[in-house]
Amino acid sequence: MAILNYTFRSSTLDMNVTVNVILPEPIKKGEKLKTLYLLHGYIGDQTDWMRFTSVERYNWAYRFAIIMPAVQNSYYTDTTYGHHYLSFITKELPKVMENTFPLSKNRVDRYIGGLSMGGYGAIKSALLYPKRYHKAFSLSGALDIQHIQDITRESGRKIIFDSVFGKRKVTQTKHDLFFLAQNQIDKNNELPDFFIACGTEDFLFASNQQFHAFLNDNQIKHTYQIDSGIHDWDFWDRFLLIAMKWMSS
């Protein structure tokens, strides 16, 4: 595998950004690679997946181009007071990567996934732009963003959350995954396939159960897996491999 630290100037964010990229080797002449946008969690960055999982070794079998950006603690959102990270992830970044590396531009070859905050970002991106992604996965995702707002009210993270989303409730807004999914259902739009996994001892387990139930009730195609585990890299490393197998099926 080729490992690159790729730095470029983002016009969306008006600053230099660095993404980590894994490319399979060798790349055949004329080959267009399937692409996985792999999103980090809260307090993370573009190095997390490389440092804490076996993502490079797992990719030997699948030959994805894996793009790992950094968005600080933005929840993959065009923030109220700050940068427009959702637009960066879903619009600018794919264009830059597809113009730089031999990546397929077809929907069936584009995937997105993440853990915790990144799981929220992956499902959010897929719900907002369902024609761009073939499959999306969330590991221990912060899928009920209202719950996250509620539990941050009495913590130091409230200031960060408010700078991202503002001070109003996020339920039934463009930030609410349940609302976004219902909006696509009402429009009868085709959605990507979803893979949702969470540990049964995870503090976000109840939120994942609720999102799974919502998808079931609305007959949205998805795979849901649970196992013993907490909110940690042991669980995410195990289920990253499972998610990569699912993407390739």
Side-chain angles (χ1 to χ4, degrees):
M1 293 288 158
I3 309 298
L4 299 92
N5 295 316
Y6 187 79
T7 300
F8 66 96
R9 183 187 181 279
S10 166
S11 58
T12 301
L13 303 177
D14 196 25
M15 65 181 183
N16 291 336
V17 297
T18 299
V19 299
N20 278 11
V21 180
I22 298 175
L23 296 177
E25 294 182 299
I27 299 174
K28 300 175 183 177
K29 184 177 180 179
E31 182 180 6
K32 295 296 184 180
L33 301 169
K34 294 183 178 182
T35 308
L36 167 61
Y37 291 88
L38 195 53
L39 310 183
H40 66 78
Y42 196 87
I43 75 172
D45 63 25
Q46 76 276 7
T47 69
D48 283 12
W49 288 102
M50 293 289 297
R51 290 190 293 142
F52 303 131
T53 76
S54 296
V55 60
E56 179 184 2
R57 178 167 59 85
Y58 296 158
N59 198 41
W60 290 347
Y62 303 111
R63 291 180 57 80
F64 289 109
I66 302 179
I67 312 298
M68 295 164 282
V71 302
Q72 301 186 43
N73 293 330
S74 69
Y75 285 90
Y76 299 88
T77 295
D78 288 347
T79 65
T80 301
Y81 305 105
H83 296 296
H84 286 189
Y85 279 108
L86 177 65
S87 295
F88 169 70
I89 290 293
T90 59
K91 298 177 182 179
E92 183 181 21
L93 182 62
K95 288 181 180 178
V96 172
M97 295 294 99
E98 289 167 3
N99 288 334
T100 305
F101 301 110
L103 311 182
S104 172
K105 297 182 180 180
N106 295 326
R107 176 184 183 263
V108 295
D109 295 326
R110 190 183 291 136
Y111 305 80
I112 190 167
L115 66 89
S116 193
M117 182 185 81
Y120 167 79
I123 303 302
K124 179 181 184 178
S125 299
L127 287 173
L128 283 169
Y129 303 103
K131 294 181 179 180
R132 295 185 186 173
Y133 305 100
H134 180 44
K135 294 183 177 182
F137 72 82
S138 165
L139 309 182
S140 310
L143 303 182
D144 182 355
I145 199 64
Q146 184 60 57
H147 172 64
I148 301 300
Q149 185 181 46
D150 291 341
I151 64 177
T152 58
R153 281 178 175 156
E154 303 302 323
S155 75
R157 293 182 176 180
K158 180 181 185 301
I159 294 174
I160 296 174
F161 193 96
D162 288 349
S163 71
V164 173
F165 296 104
K167 296 183 178 181
R168 296 183 178 179
K169 281 187 172 290
V170 291
T171 304
Q172 295 294 299
T173 71
K174 61 183 179 181
H175 308 300
D176 179 356
L177 299 187
F178 295 86
F179 175 79
L180 294 177
Q182 188 63 57
N183 187 47
Q184 296 293 355
I185 293 166
D186 293 343
K187 293 179 180 178
N188 202 30
N189 287 337
E190 180 184 1
L191 291 172
D193 291 348
F194 296 119
F195 177 92
I196 310 293
C198 192
T200 52
E201 291 75 44
D202 196 303
F203 76 100
L204 294 176
F205 180 63
S207 297
N208 279 258
Q209 289 278 85
Q210 291 166 7
F211 194 70
H212 162 60
F214 173 86
L215 296 179
N216 263 348
D217 290 344
N218 288 279
Q219 299 182 323
I220 297 175
K221 184 178 179 181
H222 70 291
T223 298
Y224 182 61
Q225 293 192 14
I226 62 175
D227 198 359
S228 177
I230 60 173
H231 206 73
D232 69 359
W233 283 102
D234 177 70
F235 184 89
W236 301 325
D237 182 55
R238 285 190 287 127
F239 274 86
L240 173 62
L241 179 58
I242 295 170
M244 293 177 77
K245 289 180 179 178
W246 166 82
M247 286 188 297
S248 300
S249 62

